[in-house]
Amino acid sequence: MSTAKDLAAIQACLTNRLDAQIIGDKRIAGVIGEAPSRYSKSPALWNAAFADLAIHARYVPLDVDAAKLKDLAAAFRNCERLLGVNVTVPHKLAIMDSLDELDPGAARIRAVNTVVRTHDGRLVGYNTDGAGFGASILKPQPGRTESFVASLSGTDVLLLGAGGSARAVAFSVSELLGGGRLIICNRTVEHALALAKEIRSAGGHAEAIGENDLLKWALKVILIINSTIKG
């Protein structure tokens, strides 16, 4: 298993610096995005988990420009010690062009938040955003006895955003609404219209609105989901 050489190939695609001494000969995992080194909590969470489980691996932030995505994917294929990576904004859609295979769920959503490297060097894309979101509101979280909501069936839900994570949440939530509606609001209304059309084609009930109608719908729904990068 190569070490310095494969890490150097990954480093050549990044705008942040990796600490080769800390990584050493460990297996590698990480999160790719425009600048996760500035804000992502994933490295701290995953490195704590690796340490607790005695997994000889290091999770690192990987800041990469869109123009370098294909080069980074090529470096991943040649890196035998790569476990996989998570994908955050703004690369959840663009990364698909650099992968060898999409899981059926990711192919349906057309967005990827997780990439796994197989033993033969192929890169397979998955999307866990939707399922993770559903579980976070419908199942009791650690330290709590009740879920955030008991059910979404028959309710109207407002979704802000139409990007990568919003797409995953839209498909997942629409399946939980029963006769309820998913109202999608996006700064670029054409993107909201396109996503709503896809949800309807998949058998869900979805409508698109512009930002001018946001307040009106915010007062009507039982749940507002923010899938934008705005706080």
Side-chain angles (χ1 to χ4, degrees):
M1 183 184 297
S2 60
T3 54
K5 185 176 180 180
D6 58 14
L7 189 60
I10 292 173
Q11 179 65 79
C13 303
L14 307 179
T15 58
N16 66 310
R17 298 298 302 176
L18 301 179
D19 192 324
Q21 287 189 327
I22 291 178
I23 296 171
D25 64 348
K26 296 180 176 70
R27 301 296 297 273
I28 300 172
V31 53
I32 67 173
E34 188 173 46
S37 67
R38 301 178 189 172
Y39 60 82
S40 178
K41 296 179 175 63
S42 294
L45 295 171
W46 278 104
N47 286 321
F50 288 160
D52 188 63
L53 296 171
I55 296 174
H56 193 61
R58 189 74 185 175
Y59 190 103
V60 295
L62 303 164
D63 299 358
V64 58
D65 294 332
K68 286 288 188 177
L69 273 180
K70 288 187 179 297
D71 292 338
L72 185 60
F76 286 164
R77 288 188 182 89
N78 293 323
C79 183
E80 294 181 7
R81 57 178 174 149
L82 181 79
L83 295 170
V85 294
N86 296 124
V87 186
T88 188
V89 291
H91 300 321
K92 292 188 177 187
L93 280 65
I95 190 62
M96 292 187 293
D97 292 335
S98 300
L99 303 180
D100 302 300
E101 181 183 344
L102 291 178
D103 167 80
R108 179 172 70 102
I109 295 167
R110 290 198 299 111
V112 163
N113 79 331
T114 302
V115 177
V116 174
R117 183 190 185 278
T118 65
H119 291 298
D120 59 354
R122 299 175 69 251
L123 301 179
V124 183
Y126 299 84
N127 197 304
T128 63
D129 280 332
F133 175 79
S136 73
I137 64 170
L138 295 176
K139 295 182 179 181
Q141 297 304 297
R144 297 183 178 272
T145 57
E146 297 182 355
S147 60
F148 183 71
V149 294
S151 172
L152 291 177
S153 181
T155 66
D156 291 342
V157 172
L158 175 61
L159 173 64
L160 307 181
S165 59
R167 292 182 61 83
V169 170
F171 277 93
S172 180
V173 168
S174 66
E175 295 174 353
L176 303 172
L177 296 181
R181 292 170 295 176
L182 180 65
I183 311 301
I184 304 171
C185 180
N186 192 64
R187 180 175 57 185
T188 305
V189 70
E190 289 79 11
H191 294 168
L193 287 165
L195 180 54
K197 182 178 180 180
E198 290 184 58
I199 297 299
R200 292 194 297 270
S201 296
H205 301 285
E207 299 178 19
I209 63 171
E211 289 186 329
N212 290 340
D213 293 322
L214 180 57
L215 179 59
K216 177 181 73 176
W217 278 101
L219 297 174
K220 294 181 179 181
V221 300
I222 69 154
L223 179 67
I224 300 174
I225 306 167
N226 184 7
S227 286
T228 72
I229 58 175
K230 298 178 181 179

